[in-house]
Amino acid sequence: MSARRPIPRWADIALLPAINLLLAFLVSGLVVLLVGENPFHAIQVIIYGAFGYGEGLGYTLYYATNFIFTGLAVAVAAQAGLFNIGGDGQAYVAGLGAVVVALALDQTHWLIAMPLAVIAAGAVGGFWAFVPGWLQAKRGSHVVITTIMFNFIAAALMVYMVNRVLKPASTMAPESETIEVAGRVPQLRQFFSFFGYSPVNLSIVIAVLALIGVYILVWHTKFGYAMRVLGANPTASRYAGISNSKMIMITMTISGALAGMVAINEVMGVQNRLVLDFVAGAGFVGIAVALMGRNHPIGILLAALLFGALYQGGQELQFVIPGITREMIVVIQALVILFTGAMEGLFRPSLERAFMLFSPEQKADAIAVSTAKSES
Amino acid sequence: YDLGGKFDKSFNEAAYNGAEEWKKETGGSFLDLELQNDAQREQALRRFAGQGANPIVMAGFSWTAALTTVAAEFPDTNFVVIDTVVDAPNVQSIVFDEHTGSFLVGALAALKSETGTVAFVGGMDVPLIHKFYCGYAQGAKAVNPDVKLIESYTGTTPAAWNDPVTAGELTKAAIDGGADVVFAAAGGSGLGVLQAAKDAGKFSIGVDSNQNYLQPGSVLTSMLKRVDVAVKTALTEAADDATFKPGLTVLGLGEEGVGYALDDNNASLITDDMKAKVDELSAEIQAGTLTVHDYTTDSTCPL
Amino acid sequence: MNTQRPETAAATVPANGWAIELEKINKRFGAVHANKDIDLKVARGTIHGIVGENGAGKSTLMSILYGFYTADSGVIRVNGQEHAITDSRHALALGIGMVHQHFMLVENFSVLENVILGAEDSGFIKPSLDRARKELNRLEHEYDLEVDPDAIIEDISVGQQQRVEILKALYRGAETLILDEPTGVLTPKEADDLFRVLETLREQGKTVILITHKLREIMAITDNVSVMRQGEMVATVKTSETSPEQLAELMVGRRVLLRVDKTPANPGATLLEVQNLVVADDMGHVRVKDVSFSIRAGEIVGIAGVSGNGQSELLESVSGMRDQKSGNVLLKGTALSLKGDDGAARAREAGLAHVPEDRQRMGLVTTFAEWENAILGYQGNAKYGAGPFLDISAAKKAAAEHIKLFDVRPANINLKSSLFSGGNQQKIVLAREMEQDPDVLVIGQPTRGVDIGAIEFIHNEIIKMRDEGKAILLVSVELDEIRSLADRILVMFDGVIVGEADPATATEGELGLMMAGIGKDAPRGLGIAEQGPLP
Amino acid sequence: MDISSVLSILDATIRLSTPLLLACLAGLYSERAGLFDIGLEGKMLAAAFAAGAVAAITGSAWLGLLAGLAVSLSTALLQGVAAITLKGNQLIAGVAINMLAAGMTTFLGQTWFSQGGRTPPLPEGGRFEPITLPFANELASVPVLGPIYADLISGHYILVYIAFIMVGVTAYVLYRTRFGLRMRAVGENPKAVDTAGISVVKLRYQAVIITGLLAGLAGAYFSIAQGSGFGNNMTAGKGYIALAALIFAKWKPVPAMFTCLLFGFLDALQIRLQGAQLGGIEIPVQAIQALPYLLTVILLAGFIGKAVGPKAGGVPYTKER
Ligand SMILES: Nc1ncnc2c1ncn2[C@@H]1O[C@H](COP(=O)(O)OP(=O)(O)OP(=O)(O)O)[C@@H](O)[C@H]1O
Ligand SMILES: Nc1ncnc2c1ncn2[C@@H]1O[C@H](COP(=O)(O)OP(=O)(O)OP(=O)(O)O)[C@@H](O)[C@H]1O
Ligand SMILES: [Mg+2]
Ligand SMILES: [Mg+2]
């Protein structure tokens, strides 16, 4: 064995993921082939559907908005060494905060309703994560268990709230009253007709702000520093005078509040009312997004866009190629996660070797090594 | 189709079958789509309308908001929505009197029960399912005022509609609680009810489509909700503006939109007396002499 | 090289033959050439020392011999036979055992389980455990290596953990035993015990390779010694023909002062006062029992003691990391409020700096860049950012300064901290704590695992702080270190200060007795059994 | 409550805890070997589908079980390749496996059976039948103990007995065998294992294989024992609950059994409490449905204390060379 030379940075962050993505599509292509459809056409459709026209792009961005929020939620907790699986539940209950404020203020103006709803949704979502955080900090209860449990509790709570409390008695559908136009978050198409009928709305601005905010929080504030110390080495953080218990509680709260922003996008931006299960698993996608994005805002942005594109492209695929069902889209998404996330190391060794052969000084090295080897 | 998926053996599948039948009879073709999440509703409608599909038929109460928006955008397209009401000139809303159909199977259940206890397993505690329960309970009480009712639901997440295991356990619990007839209104989970009742040698009642054949000899009957007929009729009628009937269409016992299933599979389970009694109740309801309370009108269920 | 190269010793074939021969071993880690054309021959039945600065490549070389790393090139001969050692299993089969610098033990396993791991006789462990218990008993007697076979590793002292490592190797029938810095964490007595074991091994014809930073040990026990510097083997000499001064010079490439030069203390006002302190450990056992002492400005007070007698808890409590059950810590007359899990922050604010015993577990976040560690504990300080924000350039500036002042190598503030050698990691921590200009400095094991060049530097820095009028609390298991640095020595045993000694007059023997609980006012016969047999 | 309703709750407890227990033990092996496994759900689902499909086609429960084991095993190995050989992130690998299983099972089910991803109801013999233990019927009339033996202990599917036997087997393997010793060591300190001359990679693969097999049993239980045929996503999050149980039990086999029984009991209780009244007011059914989860949190916070997992968990083992 020889001294491993790391591959150049550009190859690491661009080439390798690209190769992996290609592989994911290739394997997906086989699945498409299995149902007798043309895989190249399918990929074309996905890409066109996700980015090719305004409305498609709008949908991609709309999905990505959710994934940015849940991805950030997972990432912020992960920075402090906490694994928050509860994004789904936190986003779900945050819907209560959003819808209550929106319904109360839908006679005013969205400029009033939206900030207050953001606070309310953040507070409710934050609370839903604070409790597991508190239990972890004070009682040592593992957040992984408690957040899973809180997802289920949230689901039960919301079925009750929607059906027994928020639903007007006379309607059939399990949903809250509709928010008046003044209380809704404006959709981007109101400003740019380019986006067609897509539901992407001003929540995406909050998402971008959240990305920047998290970046600053984690890498440019004392709090973020403390958070990272805790995540990397809890003993060192006590040594550094950081209160681990407070950090855990605050970090979980921030994480839950971020997940709670999904409610703004869905409840105030798209559905205009609270419906059952509006989160639709975005919290779990957030785990994949955060992991693939290496818990870094830029990575999360890219991963969220990728998943948004897969969602929207997959939908397009269903329209265009009727033989392809929604399950196949899930399969394709899973393959993308598998190859670009879990198996990202697949090509690293060959790539390292390739670079070794192509760079002259390293080439000399490689030869020296191999001759040395054959001598022994 | 609603989020439960196309082939749920009951509601969505019935819609699909209706469309298939229409296709077979008329030679027409249809586009169909399953949704992954709520946001895709408007997108799908617009897409179909944009492609010139006419009519567009939707099954499920969750379509209200999306349809309200899109129907206004495509005034020349005819829409038919099942299970909810959208007030627009180009929309036909079809709702079913599930409560009366459930009333009849409730009566059958109480008549069949030897223990005097009948049970209900719903998918999720949502108004539509309550409407089933409320009708069922009233029917059971109507023939046996002392009947004991056990009411339960599989879950609180969308998995509730696809969780035969929990539904089966609920059924076993109900049977342990003395029930010997269990009505399943739980989508895909209902299969677990039918199985568990069969395993225990008790009776079950299917829902939406005729499910008698699934466990012959154990499924007492099925509460029919002829979505297939509705879809088929809608496709036929709404294709032509001349026959298209915008506004509200209520399909009840009279229209044979709801009812109970009687076929070879359960013929031996339902005695002539039982059939006579239920048919009598059915006639009374249709005549208006017997009213069955509809839960969804005021979210209460007077028993 | 400014020193003349001494005649390479033991070049002719020794009576018992060579146990190990390494020829032209090369190993690179990325840009670092850790081993350059290394030649090393070890005679069978001898103790062979290897010395060298931190990062000289000692551990790397031994890891290659043990099959943990694979050399890029070179030849390994064991007992004259050439072998390409591909993995540790292979090395073990050749009779090579290794006690790693950082122990390779499974912490929540018992001693027995650790010993048999990888050397089980059959699919079921019961017979192996029984056999190991017997064998261990025999080895224990043969080498006077006492450990409780059923104790859990994390519950026993490092000294005992090391015995387990040695027993592990012996159990596997090692003929050649490699020890990488075995005494770094041992008390003098434990070290003596270890050396007795090594001598027994030598008598039995086994071969020992000993890496250490302590020249005293090299002189005392080895037959031959090799010196490494910056990846190269600079010399191999007979121990009897060399001196510590010569070895030090070979290692560092310059003359090193091997003792501390200091003027008498000139104590001022009392800065740190500890009153009736009672502290419990994580399990709730009281480890510090009613300890009181005070330190004045310009004074170094050393706490000596066998590790595990409450020093760690005392340090952690004084520095705010651990709640006290009762008692007070006063800084300049004001009691510190140390309650809550952020007590360390308040201690620092009050002017107390803390160099922890365990730099990797506490003092550093090893995954952080060097500059990020340069502000650890002071992240809230206004000079590293206004309000909630972190001023990265200020932190980097401070880091660069620390590196310059303390000669940290490599001088790269962006390097991940885990990639610095232990000595340099220690300097990073020291620089950070000392440069805050604290009133009181609390230091645990300042030179653990650090090479002599760095030790000299660190000791001088500590004296300099004292002379600037700081109060310094020094905890170390190195008696030499305590005796040469401290102005007063307190001896701790079983959570109690059992006596005070004057470093100028106290002998090592006296201190040793006090440390074993047999001092002047010591409670006799307490807990001695746990510490092993008396000398 | 009379004895028969108590027995019926306990009976349901056993039925409901069995798949959790199998999954929990499955997770125990890989996690003890230092591999986080949130892919339990996916492995179970894949196995449930394979077992259901093969049993439906062949009419043999045993062939179904075999298929379930095989599929779960291959899924586990795929995850193993990602997490062990390629040193990928173990959590991502798990998430991917879960999604892949969710999509693939429905997709293949639809392609093969055209019943919306469901398999057809199983024919006779395609499903495991409850086993009546010897003398169960004879003893049933003995007061108290009779019903306990006849109803509670006897009359379960074979997989139930396997699950409970596996608890003892696992405890034995873990604490009494060479493999168990090494596996526990590799989850705590792989470097120590490596320097002792044992292959970390091989050990981890062995653990993953066992995980795959046990998850396969759990999956098969859903579709060909407790249920009769496969339904979409029929594992309904049980993989996550099993994971929670594993942490709750601090990665130990016997406590794992008790935890799974507890979770099963809470679920059984929930099922029986639906519609219960409290002081004349009907408790919302959602409150009862949330009860198991709430109680878990309370028990965890109140009694269990800190759970410290295998130290090397989640970190791929890299040996510098
Ligand atoms: N795993 C590794 N990866 C990359 N570089 C390494 C690795 N291990 C060691 N090195 C490099 O090799 C050099 C020699 O390291 P080695 O551990 O052999 O030093 P040492 O002589 O044992 O030092 P110390 O006295 O601190 O133990 C180091 O300076 C380091 O830069
Ligand atoms: N992964 C790595 N990459 C690069 N260098 C490394 C790596 N791991 C260790 N090193 C280097 O190897 C050398 C010795 O590593 P080791 O872990 O033995 O240090 P240490 O034991 O803490 O030092 P000391 O012996 O002084 O206590 C250090 O110089 C360190 O920088
Ligand atoms: Mg070393
Ligand atoms: Mg070292």
Side-chain angles (χ1 to χ4, degrees):
Chain A
M1 256 258 186
S2 68
R4 272 260 185 93
R5 294 284 162 106
I7 55 176
R9 205 173 143 69
W10 66 268
D12 196 17
I13 55 180
L15 184 59
L16 205 55
I19 295 178
N20 287 324
L21 200 60
L22 206 67
L23 184 68
F25 278 130
L26 235 91
V27 177
S28 311
L30 292 181
V31 181
V32 175
L33 216 57
L34 212 71
V35 288
E37 300 289 345
N38 178 348
F40 295 103
H41 182 216
I43 290 179
Q44 222 179 334
V45 169
I46 290 184
I47 295 175
Y48 174 77
F51 302 110
Y53 61 103
E55 189 169 322
L57 181 64
Y59 268 97
T60 299
L61 292 176
Y62 146 72
Y63 291 121
T65 307
N66 280 345
F67 301 151
I68 288 173
F69 289 134
T70 52
L72 285 176
V74 175
V76 163
Q79 290 291 354
L82 300 160
F83 187 25
N84 178 10
I85 310 198
D88 242 45
Q90 290 141 19
Y92 202 1
V93 291
L96 284 180
V99 83
V100 166
V101 170
L103 286 174
L105 297 177
D106 64 0
Q107 305 301 330
T108 57
H109 191 269
W110 64 268
L111 275 175
I112 299 171
M114 183 166 158
L116 289 174
V118 165
I119 293 170
V124 180
F127 172 77
W128 209 249
F130 164 80
V131 179
W134 177 75
L135 289 168
Q136 163 95 67
K138 299 290 178 190
R139 308 286 328 172
S141 316
H142 210 296
V143 279
V144 169
I145 311 185
T146 43
T147 51
I148 290 176
M149 297 297 151
F150 268 61
N151 281 342
F152 287 102
I153 299 173
L157 174 73
M158 294 302 282
V159 171
Y160 178 78
M161 292 304 287
V162 170
N163 284 305
R164 305 287 174 89
V165 181
L166 293 170
K167 183 183 79 69
S170 58
T171 57
M172 175 100 160
E175 55 194 40
S176 74
E177 269 181 68
T178 302
I179 301 165
E180 295 295 325
V181 178
R184 299 178 191 171
V185 173
Q187 303 199 323
L188 292 192
R189 64 177 197 229
Q190 290 167 240
F191 312 109
F192 311 98
S193 56
F194 167 75
F195 285 113
Y197 286 110
S198 66
V200 59
N201 58 73
L202 280 184
S203 303
I204 199 171
V205 178
I206 306 180
V208 172
L209 290 177
L211 282 168
I212 299 169
V214 167
Y215 174 75
I216 292 174
L217 177 77
V218 173
W219 281 281
H220 289 274
T221 68
K222 296 171 175 177
F223 180 85
Y225 178 87
M227 208 161 84
R228 287 185 297 124
V229 173
L230 172 63
N233 184 344
T235 316
S237 76
R238 279 201 76 150
Y239 164 78
I242 295 161
S243 171
N244 291 3
S245 55
K246 271 186 218 143
M247 288 303 300
I248 289 173
M249 292 188 278
I250 301 175
T251 305
M252 281 302 282
T253 308
I254 294 174
S255 172
L258 282 166
M261 294 303 109
V262 169
I264 302 294
N265 190 28
E266 289 291 339
V267 175
M268 290 178 75
V270 183
Q271 319 271 2
N272 303 323
R273 64 206 147 72
L274 186 65
V275 301
L276 283 182
D277 198 46
F278 68 84
V279 183
F284 285 95
V285 178
I287 298 174
V289 166
L291 289 168
M292 286 181 62
R294 307 272 196 282
N295 294 330
H296 191 286
I298 293 179
I300 288 171
L301 174 67
L302 294 176
L305 282 172
L306 173 65
F307 275 85
L310 284 173
Y311 264 59
Q312 163 55 18
Q315 184 68 15
E316 181 88 12
L317 205 56
Q318 271 201 72
F319 286 129
V320 177
I321 309 179
I324 290 181
T325 59
R326 62 176 175 172
E327 285 76 29
M328 286 202 46
I329 318 275
V330 177
V331 171
I332 294 174
Q333 286 164 359
L335 288 171
V336 169
I337 298 179
L338 191 67
F339 286 112
T340 59
M343 295 203 172
E344 53 131 17
L346 195 56
F347 290 105
R348 192 178 292 276
S350 17
L351 218 56
E352 273 166 1
R353 232 168 292 135
F355 273 103
M356 194 105 138
L357 290 179
F358 286 122
S359 98
E361 66 150 318
Q362 286 173 345
K363 194 169 176 176
D365 235 74
I367 291 167
V369 166
S370 59
T371 47
K373 237 186 177 167
S374 55
E375 275 165 21
S376 63
Chain B
Y1 308 107
D2 217 321
L3 296 174
K6 178 151 70 174
F7 298 95
D8 59 357
K9 278 258 173 297
S10 54
F11 180 76
N12 291 320
E13 191 165 339
Y16 173 73
N17 289 339
E20 278 291 324
E21 219 169 287
W22 168 82
K23 182 166 133 186
K24 238 181 275 157
E25 283 178 18
T26 63
S29 71
F30 66 96
L31 303 162
D32 69 345
L33 179 75
E34 290 178 274
L35 298 173
Q36 264 175 314
N37 60 45
D38 280 315
Q40 291 167 348
R41 292 181 197 279
E42 277 189 36
Q43 190 183 13
L45 289 182
R46 258 187 218 107
R47 189 55 88 95
F48 283 152
Q51 288 175 359
N54 195 7
I56 297 173
V57 182
M58 288 139 281
F61 54 70
S62 305
W63 286 99
T64 322
L67 180 57
T68 312
T69 316
V70 178
E73 289 164 17
F74 293 91
D76 295 336
T77 304
N78 296 336
F79 295 92
V80 180
V81 63
I82 298 170
D83 264 6
T84 186
V85 182
V86 169
D87 195 11
N90 55 337
V91 176
Q92 181 188 12
S93 308
I94 302 177
V95 296
F96 291 85
D97 280 344
E98 291 95 349
H99 53 298
T100 58
S102 300
F103 185 92
L104 296 187
V105 299
L108 273 174
L111 288 170
K112 185 77 186 173
S113 174
E114 288 165 12
T115 58
T117 303
V118 297
F120 173 89
V121 173
M124 206 193 273
D125 181 22
V126 293
L128 178 65
I129 299 302
H130 246 111
K131 185 176 181 184
F132 279 87
Y133 171 70
C134 192
Y136 178 72
Q138 291 174 71
K141 292 267 186 208
V143 298
N144 177 3
D146 298 328
V147 77
K148 198 173 149 241
L149 285 150
I150 296 177
E151 173 193 10
S152 54
Y153 298 90
T154 44
T156 54
T157 61
W161 305 109
N162 255 323
D163 187 355
V165 169
T166 303
E169 281 299 332
L170 286 165
T171 308
K172 284 180 185 146
I175 290 169
D176 287 341
D180 55 359
V181 185
V182 186
F183 180 24
S189 305
L191 299 179
V193 175
L194 308 196
Q195 181 75 44
K198 159 97 187 310
D199 290 350
K202 308 289 181 194
F203 299 104
S204 58
I205 299 175
V207 77
D208 293 344
S209 303
N210 183 347
Q211 298 181 321
N212 294 1
Y213 72 99
L214 287 173
Q215 303 287 355
S218 167
V219 181
L220 178 63
T221 180
S222 298
M223 200 300 274
L224 297 177
K225 175 173 169 185
R226 302 300 302 267
V227 177
D228 50 344
V229 177
V231 169
K232 191 176 141 198
T233 324
L235 285 172
T236 317
E237 291 181 359
D240 189 346
D241 284 341
T243 49
F244 179 61
K245 290 185 253 169
L248 179 64
T249 308
V250 179
L251 299 180
L253 292 171
E255 297 81 10
E256 296 201 345
V258 295
Y260 70 96
L262 190 59
D263 61 15
D264 291 349
N265 292 311
N266 67 341
S268 58
L269 304 176
I270 296 181
T271 62
D272 290 342
D273 286 352
M274 285 163 68
K275 184 169 168 1
K277 177 68 188 167
V278 175
D279 288 344
E280 179 194 324
L281 290 169
S282 173
E284 281 178 36
I285 295 170
Q286 288 178 48
T289 49
L290 178 67
T291 46
V292 182
H293 182 75
D294 178 357
Y295 172 82
T296 50
T297 53
D298 61 357
S299 298
T300 61
C301 187
L303 282 178
Chain C
M1 215 186 304
N2 53 5
T3 50
Q4 118 197 26
R5 196 175 175 130
E7 208 44 37
T8 295
T12 50
V13 180
N16 291 328
W18 300 116
I20 304 290
E21 292 162 272
L22 300 177
E23 258 180 41
K24 299 235 170 304
I25 299 288
N26 274 289
K27 179 72 185 171
R28 282 171 178 278
F29 292 108
V32 179
H33 204 158
N35 285 165
K36 296 179 209 162
D37 283 338
I38 302 277
D39 289 333
L40 175 68
K41 290 182 175 186
V42 179
R44 185 171 308 115
T46 63
I47 300 182
H48 192 113
I50 299 182
V51 294
E53 293 184 279
N54 292 124
K58 309 177 292 289
S59 301
T60 305
L61 187 65
M62 290 304 116
S63 296
I64 290 170
L65 177 55
Y66 188 62
F68 195 64
Y69 292 160
T70 320
D72 298 341
S73 66
V75 179
I76 301 175
R77 271 192 289 274
V78 181
N79 297 325
Q81 285 287 108
E82 188 172 325
H83 291 279
I85 301 181
T86 46
D87 57 18
S88 304
R89 170 177 292 268
H90 193 171
L92 285 166
L94 292 173
I96 301 173
M98 179 159 176
V99 176
H100 293 261
Q101 188 172 357
H102 300 129
F103 299 151
M104 297 293 176
L105 295 171
V106 182
E107 297 230 309
N108 58 359
F109 275 24
S110 72
V111 170
L112 269 186
E113 287 176 320
N114 267 293
V115 168
I116 64 163
L117 181 66
E120 308 89 343
D121 302 322
S122 66
F124 301 96
I125 58 176
K126 183 86 170 58
S128 308
L129 285 173
D130 292 342
R131 189 172 76 84
R133 191 183 294 276
K134 282 206 202 84
E135 178 72 7
L136 228 53
N137 232 317
R138 189 183 68 74
L139 291 172
E140 276 175 18
H141 283 111
E142 196 174 328
Y143 300 103
D144 202 10
L145 275 170
E146 212 163 304
V147 279
D148 172 8
D150 297 310
I152 303 299
I153 297 298
E154 54 199 358
D155 296 340
I156 62 180
S157 69
V158 270
Q160 299 214 318
Q161 291 181 5
Q162 179 165 60
R163 292 177 180 188
V164 179
E165 282 282 20
I166 295 172
L167 285 170
K168 237 170 90 177
L170 295 177
Y171 182 77
R172 287 162 169 74
E175 285 298 311
T176 301
L177 186 63
I178 307 167
L179 295 145
D180 192 352
E181 284 181 45
T183 56
V185 291
L186 300 189
T187 62
K189 189 191 148 310
E190 285 172 329
D192 285 347
D193 290 346
L194 173 68
F195 290 142
R196 264 206 310 282
V197 173
L198 298 187
E199 271 163 2
T200 317
L201 287 170
R202 174 167 57 187
E203 278 160 27
Q204 294 178 340
K206 297 195 186 337
T207 310
V208 176
I209 301 177
L210 175 72
I211 300 178
T212 179
H213 288 298
K214 297 177 192 166
L215 298 178
R216 196 175 60 118
E217 295 170 352
I218 293 286
M219 300 312 295
I221 193 170
T222 63
D223 300 300
N224 299 300
V225 53
S226 296
V227 184
M228 288 183 72
R229 180 161 46 149
Q230 293 175 8
E232 290 183 82
M233 185 61 81
V234 290
T236 297
V237 295
K238 273 203 164 65
T239 310
S240 53
E241 294 168 4
T242 186
S243 66
E245 287 75 16
Q246 189 195 13
L247 288 176
E249 202 172 324
L250 279 169
M251 272 166 72
V252 190
R254 64 177 165 85
R255 297 197 70 81
V256 182
L257 208 54
L258 288 176
R259 70 200 146 71
V260 181
D261 237 355
K262 65 167 189 185
T263 53
N266 184 14
T270 297
L271 288 183
L272 177 73
E273 200 170 349
V274 173
Q275 295 172 338
N276 307 98
L277 198 65
V278 178
V279 188
D281 64 11
D282 291 337
M283 316 298 289
H285 304 305
V286 175
R287 303 306 295 265
V288 176
K289 304 168 181 170
D290 196 18
V291 163
S292 302
F293 61 86
S294 61
I295 308 180
R296 294 158 67 182
E299 185 183 41
I300 300 176
V301 171
I303 304 236
V306 177
S307 63
N309 275 286
Q311 302 98 311
S312 305
E313 287 76 14
L314 175 69
L315 269 184
E316 289 178 16
S317 180
V318 169
S319 61
M321 286 182 70
R322 184 179 285 282
D323 283 356
Q324 70 267 47
K325 283 182 95 82
S326 64
N328 276 316
V329 176
L330 277 69
L331 213 78
K332 290 185 283 185
T334 328
L336 283 180
S337 144
L338 301 178
K339 286 261 174 268
D341 57 357
D342 52 356
R346 287 190 292 280
R348 281 205 181 79
E349 271 163 36
L352 183 145
H354 175 203
V355 177
E357 289 183 303
D358 188 337
R359 53 185 172 250
Q360 299 208 340
R361 210 168 57 84
M362 273 182 215
L364 291 171
V365 179
T366 49
T367 51
F368 277 16
E370 195 279 336
W371 71 264
E372 288 179 289
N373 272 308
I375 60 167
L376 186 71
Y378 302 93
Q379 67 275 0
N381 209 315
K383 64 181 164 186
Y384 300 129
F389 294 100
L390 194 65
D391 183 347
I392 293 177
S393 57
K396 287 189 169 178
K397 224 175 86 209
E401 207 158 296
H402 293 175
I403 283 193
K404 210 170 99 216
L405 284 171
F406 280 73
D407 187 28
V408 176
R409 273 177 279 181
N412 180 356
I413 58 168
N414 293 314
L415 194 67
K416 202 164 88 169
S417 305
S418 63
L419 301 185
F420 286 89
S421 76
N424 285 303
Q425 288 176 353
Q426 185 71 1
K427 286 186 188 172
I428 293 170
V429 178
L430 279 164
R432 177 182 72 215
E433 299 300 323
M434 288 181 162
E435 289 308 305
Q436 299 301 327
D437 195 28
D439 296 314
V440 177
L441 181 65
V442 175
I443 306 187
Q445 322 296 352
T447 55
R448 182 175 274 178
V450 172
D451 71 42
I452 50 168
I455 290 177
E456 178 192 33
F457 176 82
I458 290 170
H459 283 178
N460 285 334
E461 286 299 314
I462 293 174
I463 300 289
K464 210 161 89 194
M465 293 261 320
R466 180 198 74 166
D467 293 342
E468 285 166 14
K470 317 291 186 195
I472 295 171
L473 175 64
L474 169 75
V475 173
S476 174
V477 294
E478 300 284 343
L479 263 189
D480 279 350
E481 180 164 81
I482 296 238
R483 286 172 63 197
S484 56
L485 284 180
D487 300 310
R488 281 195 290 139
I489 301 178
L490 303 176
V491 182
M492 204 164 167
F493 174 76
D494 195 24
V496 185
I497 303 278
V498 291
E500 182 169 341
D502 179 350
T505 57
T507 66
E508 189 161 327
E510 280 168 25
L511 287 171
L513 281 179
M514 276 158 74
M515 283 162 68
I518 317 180
K520 297 177 271 187
D521 6 298
R524 272 167 200 278
L526 270 185
I528 293 171
E530 293 160 22
Q531 308 303 331
L534 291 174
Chain D
M1 257 197 218
D2 54 12
I3 175 140
S4 77
S5 48
V6 170
L7 279 183
S8 106
I9 289 192
L10 294 181
D11 202 30
T13 300
I14 290 178
R15 281 196 304 272
L16 290 167
S17 52
T18 297
L20 285 182
L21 181 54
L22 285 167
C24 190
L25 291 176
L28 189 144
Y29 282 89
S30 49
E31 298 227 339
R32 273 295 182 123
L35 296 160
F36 281 153
D37 193 358
I38 57 173
L40 286 174
E41 179 86 5
K43 288 192 279 276
M44 281 202 292
L45 195 62
F49 172 71
V54 170
I57 294 168
T58 63
S60 160
W62 289 102
L63 287 179
L65 180 63
L66 221 58
L69 290 176
V71 166
S72 170
L73 183 61
S74 357
T75 319
L77 285 175
L78 177 64
Q79 201 182 344
V81 168
I84 303 170
T85 307
L86 297 176
K87 303 186 170 75
N89 184 308
Q90 297 169 4
L91 295 172
I92 308 188
V95 170
I97 291 293
N98 288 347
M99 283 182 77
L100 198 61
M104 274 303 225
T105 50
T106 314
F107 167 65
L108 290 178
Q110 174 58 23
T111 315
W112 291 341
F113 303 109
S114 304
Q115 299 200 4
R118 251 185 305 281
T119 60
L122 300 183
E124 277 307 299
R127 183 173 170 218
F128 285 109
E129 296 298 331
I131 296 173
T132 309
L133 293 182
F135 310 117
N137 295 330
E138 290 81 343
L139 291 174
S141 51
V142 180
V144 188
L145 289 181
I148 289 183
Y149 182 71
D151 295 345
L152 192 56
I153 302 189
S154 170
H156 290 288
Y157 310 106
I158 185 159
L159 293 178
V160 174
Y161 298 109
I162 293 180
F164 284 89
I165 291 169
M166 279 314 292
V167 176
V169 172
T170 301
Y172 189 85
V173 166
L174 210 54
Y175 299 114
R176 297 287 163 84
T177 67
R178 171 171 64 192
F179 171 68
L181 181 79
R182 293 178 172 189
M183 196 179 76
R184 283 185 290 137
V186 90
E188 291 288 332
N189 187 352
K191 222 169 163 183
V193 172
D194 196 357
T195 53
I198 311 165
S199 164
V200 173
V201 168
K202 202 169 117 195
L203 261 177
R204 289 196 164 165
Y205 268 110
Q206 286 167 342
V208 160
I209 287 171
I210 301 180
T211 299
L213 294 176
L214 286 172
L217 290 177
Y221 180 82
F222 281 102
S223 59
I224 61 176
Q226 193 180 19
S228 170
F230 175 81
N232 305 338
N233 271 321
M234 78 182 305
T235 48
K238 296 279 194 308
Y240 293 98
I241 303 282
L243 199 64
L246 185 60
I247 301 173
F248 202 104
K250 301 189 178 172
W251 292 268
K252 296 193 177 102
V254 174
M257 175 181 76
F258 286 115
T259 308
C260 291
L261 282 172
L262 173 72
F263 284 11
F265 173 73
L266 292 176
D267 208 13
L269 196 66
Q270 174 267 114
I271 280 170
R272 266 140 239 263
L273 281 180
Q274 286 199 18
Q277 313 255 319
L278 193 70
I281 308 164
E282 192 176 331
I283 309 165
V285 63
Q286 291 81 12
I288 293 169
Q289 286 171 327
L291 197 66
Y293 310 110
L294 265 173
L295 283 176
T296 303
V297 171
I298 292 168
L299 285 174
L300 193 64
F303 305 105
I304 307 298
K306 241 190 189 110
V308 181
K311 277 203 205 74
V315 192
Y317 180 64
T318 322
K319 176 169 163 176
E320 298 283 340
R321 285 207 156 254

